[in-house]
Amino acid sequence: MVDATTTKAAKEDDDTGASTLSVHLQELREVLTGGIPGATASEHRGELTITVDPVTLTAALQFARDDAATQCELLSDISAVHWPGGVMPVDVEETTGWPTYTEERDEGSIEVNYILRSVAKNHWFRIRVSLPDDDPTVASATGIYSSANFMEREAYDLMGVEFTGHPNLTRIMMPDDWNGHPHRKDYPLGGVEVMYKGETIPPPDERDY
Amino acid sequence: MTTTSTATLEPVDGEFTVAAPGEWQNLPDAIEDDLMVINMGPQHPSTHGVLRMLLTMDGEVIVDNQPVIGYLHTGIEKNAEYRPWVQGVTFVTRMDYLAPLHNELAYCLAVEKLLGISDQIPERAQAIRVILTEINRITSHQVALATGGMEMGALSAMIYGFREREDLLDILEFVTGLRMNHAFIRPGGLAQDVPETFIERVSEVIDALPGKIDELEDLLTQNPIWLERNSGVGVLTREQCLDLGVTGPVLRSTGLAHDLRKSQPYCGIEQYDFEVPTVDTCDGYGRFLIRIAEMRESIKIVQQALKVLPGGPVMVADKKIAWPAQLALGPDGLGNAKEYIGKIMGQSMEALIHHFKLVTEGFEVPKGQVYQAVESPRGELGYAMTSSGTNKPYRVRVREPSFIHIGTIPSVTRGLQIADVIAAVASLDPVMGGVDR
């Protein structure tokens, strides 16, 4: 399922006229959109992004690693961005400066970005999947790149993305009895009870000391 | 007292939480296989900060080693979402505290890419950025060798390494005002120009450095104990490195000359003449040799950059982005120059409004997402940054090489003995501030 807003953003990028990509990346774009079923390409600031359907992610990563033209030996990074649905979920006045989030979306989504780098061919690009934020589930990349292990654990811990097939999907940064996923946008900075091993400390504005 | 200890030992979901639940389940069945599980850290003099390792031992040999991290997690990525773009610099400089300038540089390059002003950064700012980050690389490698040596019992190496690092930190303090956590590189350029005697002062220290590195090399390179402790320890082959996402000196110790300064150059670093040193030993000793050689290459870069240091401004010309300041040294320390204060307070209301808006609200960055990587002393340091078109970052994600390298600890240490774990982890050179962020 490709998020409607992502597709729209991708189109806007394409409509800006001449491509900002290097010739090499333009060739790569053709290879990737041809080799990965259902893949759409977009570009921004000279960077190539391939948006794929979550069900084809494993195939896409496999293709990126094994195809002679892409040959990405390194999975450099896995990062997730949370775009909550509706309008801003937190009142600006109540928190100290929530980033003004004006874009209204029907459905919340979590975008997971995979940065793939080829040392031999000297290029990199991004593979992006968009998942619904109430059930962000995608196949684990650990079978293709071992480096995904820790990065997926981090994305699970801080964003709540479930990577099916991960050998050890546990919290990595937060204590193992922590509630919630701190990097989500509906998890405000401050204003949550600090809890650790049975002890609770009220948020700054509710303390009477 | 009693109630507290009972509370901590209470089972969660019917299971004892001695280790993190998932990690405990994955440990081999210790009793059945006659194995022993040993906890190392998080407070241990040789774990480079607060790193905990769960070692499963078969006699003297390590069967499994699970690193446990998160003790230094400070939520810098989350915090950055609540501050204007410029203030993000002061956060990211505190992550990898041995390479603060590389963090600042990568952050600023990413912001500039989002703004679309990458080609408008003045040449002088770019050259000074290169000089500062290369000095920072030398200091970082010196700490890696100094602490690495100390952990092997070579205390003199520690003293030599830190002594020379101090000279370089004095330069950084002379230029930026602080030994660490500089916040000197800013989106659009630099916080201010370098002092007048910059070239002489840096040349003096840098030109004396090769001799001092020789001393450190004399102490270690042919030292039989150092050789024995590091050769064949912490082995990662090229295939393993690539599969595990390892970059930097560890990848270059497998003979692969992958360096982002060469392959994806930034800040005009391609105009300087330098080599990417490699060895093909794949072990801790090779990484030591590479760090020594990289320090010499960094010296070469700094010397060339000082020779051709261009004049001109150090901040982008666009007044909508450039920080509105003309700093001068006054009786009460560094601050805005008297003439500038006089102008915005007495003569130009527009200038005052501009100053006020830019300082309180900051500039807005167009919507989009970028990924910008630089070669930090430890490898590929990448910033995946998303903007929703406002004056604050929507999401800042840092790809920290230390974090990735910690993930290789199980592979690196399997089959070694406990004493070798210290050597192997030291050769990876993780910085826990960067790992946990």
Side-chain angles (χ1 to χ4, degrees):
Chain A
M1 183 206 80
V2 180
D3 191 342
T5 41
T6 317
T7 330
K8 192 169 159 252
K11 269 196 192 128
E12 277 170 4
D13 269 353
D14 284 342
D15 286 347
T16 49
S19 175
T20 54
L21 297 178
S22 65
V23 180
H24 180 73
L25 279 182
Q26 287 183 29
E27 289 166 11
L28 196 64
R29 180 176 63 188
E30 301 311 316
V31 172
L32 287 162
T33 47
I36 304 167
T40 53
S42 60
E43 58 180 78
H44 183 66
R45 305 284 184 217
E47 296 181 356
L48 174 63
T49 304
I50 305 291
T51 309
V52 302
D53 193 284
V55 293
T56 56
L57 175 71
T58 314
L61 292 173
Q62 188 90 43
F63 179 83
R65 190 189 70 177
D66 295 340
D67 187 76
T70 55
Q71 209 183 333
C72 293
E73 309 96 338
L74 279 166
L75 173 63
S76 270
D77 188 28
I78 298 176
S79 66
V81 186
H82 184 205
W83 299 95
V87 283
M88 204 165 40
V90 179
D91 192 349
V92 185
E93 297 300 317
E94 282 181 11
T95 64
T96 47
W98 172 275
T100 324
Y101 178 52
T102 48
E103 206 170 302
E104 196 176 329
R105 294 182 176 225
D106 296 338
E107 286 173 6
S109 68
I110 287 185
E111 284 173 358
V112 186
N113 298 299
Y114 297 77
I115 306 286
L116 293 146
R117 184 183 291 280
S118 168
V119 177
K121 305 271 177 181
N122 190 20
H123 60 233
W124 71 270
F125 60 91
R126 181 189 287 114
I127 286 183
R128 177 182 292 165
V129 292
S130 188
L131 314 166
D133 71 343
D134 49 357
D135 178 30
T137 307
V138 72
S140 168
T142 44
I144 303 164
Y145 294 99
S146 299
S147 54
N149 189 322
F150 261 42
M151 293 188 281
E152 286 181 353
R153 278 180 68 187
E154 195 188 356
Y156 161 74
D157 185 359
L158 302 176
M159 278 288 186
V161 183
E162 300 273 348
F163 295 93
T164 51
H166 189 287
N168 182 23
L169 198 65
T170 51
R171 289 198 181 270
I172 189 165
M173 292 294 175
M174 309 303 288
D176 49 272
D177 52 357
W178 194 264
N179 293 325
H181 302 286
H183 278 189
R184 288 209 186 197
K185 286 289 175 185
D186 48 15
Y187 190 108
L189 182 73
V192 284
E193 284 188 345
V194 179
M195 185 271 287
Y196 189 73
K197 296 282 186 198
E199 289 293 321
T200 50
I201 298 161
D205 53 335
E206 288 171 25
R207 289 177 202 165
D208 52 359
Y209 50 87
Chain B
M1 244 0 249
T2 337
T3 46
T4 324
S5 59
T6 329
T8 46
L9 285 175
E10 219 160 292
V12 177
D13 297 335
E15 272 180 42
F16 252 16
T17 50
V18 184
E23 283 141 15
W24 197 245
Q25 285 156 13
N26 287 344
L27 294 176
D29 190 336
I31 295 167
E32 193 167 293
D33 302 336
D34 202 16
L35 303 175
M36 183 162 54
V37 179
I38 293 178
N39 177 66
M40 186 170 168
Q43 299 292 345
H44 191 274
S46 69
T47 49
H48 285 247
V50 274
L51 167 65
R52 178 179 168 205
M53 285 180 277
L54 287 169
L55 302 153
T56 308
M57 312 287 298
D58 181 2
E60 290 278 315
V61 180
I62 290 161
V63 181
D64 190 34
N65 182 359
Q66 290 295 328
V68 183
I69 62 170
Y71 296 98
L72 275 182
H73 181 59
T74 42
I76 287 175
E77 290 178 10
K78 181 82 172 176
N79 259 308
E81 292 168 15
Y82 290 79
R83 308 275 182 270
W85 291 92
V86 173
Q87 289 184 9
V89 177
T90 52
F91 276 92
V92 299
T93 190
R94 280 160 171 77
M95 292 196 301
D96 182 346
Y97 41 76
L98 292 185
L101 286 160
H102 288 89
N103 279 288
E104 293 172 21
L105 178 64
Y107 177 88
C108 293
L109 287 176
V111 176
E112 286 156 11
K113 204 176 192 183
L114 273 172
L115 283 164
I117 58 165
S118 299
D119 50 351
Q120 297 171 28
I121 309 302
E123 275 182 17
R124 184 175 173 83
Q126 300 279 40
I128 293 170
R129 283 173 173 189
V130 168
I131 294 170
L132 292 179
T133 48
E134 291 308 319
I135 290 176
N136 201 179
R137 186 183 314 277
I138 302 172
T139 64
S140 176
H141 282 345
Q142 276 168 339
V143 172
L145 301 180
T147 55
M150 183 182 67
E151 286 155 12
M152 306 299 116
L155 275 175
S156 319
M158 190 270 278
I159 290 164
Y160 277 54
F162 274 98
R163 181 196 66 185
E164 288 137 29
R165 174 172 179 258
E166 210 56 35
D167 294 341
L168 293 168
L169 289 187
D170 281 347
I171 294 184
L172 294 182
E173 184 182 3
F174 165 68
V175 175
T176 69
L178 290 167
R179 296 167 79 246
M180 305 165 89
N181 306 337
H182 314 279
F184 187 70
I185 299 172
R186 300 276 175 86
L190 303 172
Q192 65 181 99
D193 205 348
V194 292
E196 274 173 22
T197 52
F198 175 72
I199 294 179
E200 296 84 60
R201 180 103 187 248
V202 177
S203 304
E204 194 186 320
V205 176
I206 284 290
D207 293 344
L209 205 54
K212 293 180 175 178
I213 294 174
D214 286 343
E215 284 179 28
L216 190 64
E217 247 199 307
D218 287 347
L219 212 55
L220 294 173
T221 308
Q222 295 302 326
N223 181 332
I225 301 174
W226 180 255
L227 265 164
E228 199 126 318
R229 289 297 303 274
N230 281 299
S231 300
V233 170
V235 174
L236 275 177
T237 64
R238 187 184 298 183
E239 288 70 27
Q240 279 178 309
C241 277
L242 293 170
D243 185 36
L244 290 162
V246 173
T247 48
V250 185
L251 179 58
R252 292 193 279 275
S253 74
T254 66
L256 187 61
H258 172 60
D259 189 320
L260 291 171
R261 288 176 294 171
K262 286 281 187 198
S263 61
Q264 313 258 324
Y266 48 86
C267 289
I269 202 159
E270 66 274 16
Q271 35 183 307
Y272 306 113
D273 174 35
F274 67 100
E275 305 286 319
V276 179
T278 57
V279 295
D280 46 13
T281 58
C282 304
D283 61 0
Y285 185 67
R287 286 161 213 160
F288 157 74
L289 292 178
I290 284 181
R291 292 201 176 98
I292 292 274
E294 277 187 8
M295 287 201 267
R296 296 192 193 285
E297 295 302 322
S298 293
I299 292 171
K300 267 167 65 183
I301 297 174
V302 173
Q303 284 170 335
Q304 292 171 54
L306 285 175
K307 221 170 271 172
V308 296
L309 186 65
V314 293
M315 196 37 128
V316 69
D318 187 350
K319 287 290 174 202
K320 297 266 182 210
I321 294 162
W323 190 255
Q326 286 165 19
L327 297 179
L329 202 58
D332 52 349
L334 193 66
N336 264 319
K338 258 189 183 160
E339 302 77 48
Y340 180 70
I341 299 285
K343 186 184 164 220
I344 62 170
M345 296 306 287
Q347 297 161 15
S348 171
M349 193 167 72
E350 291 77 13
L352 177 65
I353 293 170
H354 173 75
H355 182 106
F356 181 75
K357 292 280 276 185
L358 204 50
V359 170
T360 54
E361 286 174 10
F363 49 82
E364 290 186 356
V365 171
K367 274 182 202 177
Q369 186 175 48
V370 295
Y371 178 78
Q372 173 69 44
V374 304
E375 185 75 23
S376 96
R378 275 157 279 287
E380 178 181 342
L381 173 67
Y383 275 70
M385 207 177 277
T386 311
S387 172
S388 59
T390 65
N391 65 336
K392 296 183 183 85
Y394 188 74
R395 171 104 168 92
V396 180
R397 147 82 189 174
V398 190
R399 187 259 192 224
E400 252 291 336
S402 301
F403 175 72
I404 310 289
H405 293 184
I406 286 285
T408 68
I409 283 182
S411 317
V412 169
T413 56
R414 204 167 287 137
L416 298 177
Q417 300 186 350
I418 283 201
D420 295 334
V421 172
I422 293 161
V425 173
S427 77
L428 294 175
D429 187 24
V431 175
M432 297 312 288
V435 172
D436 294 340
R437 304 188 291 287

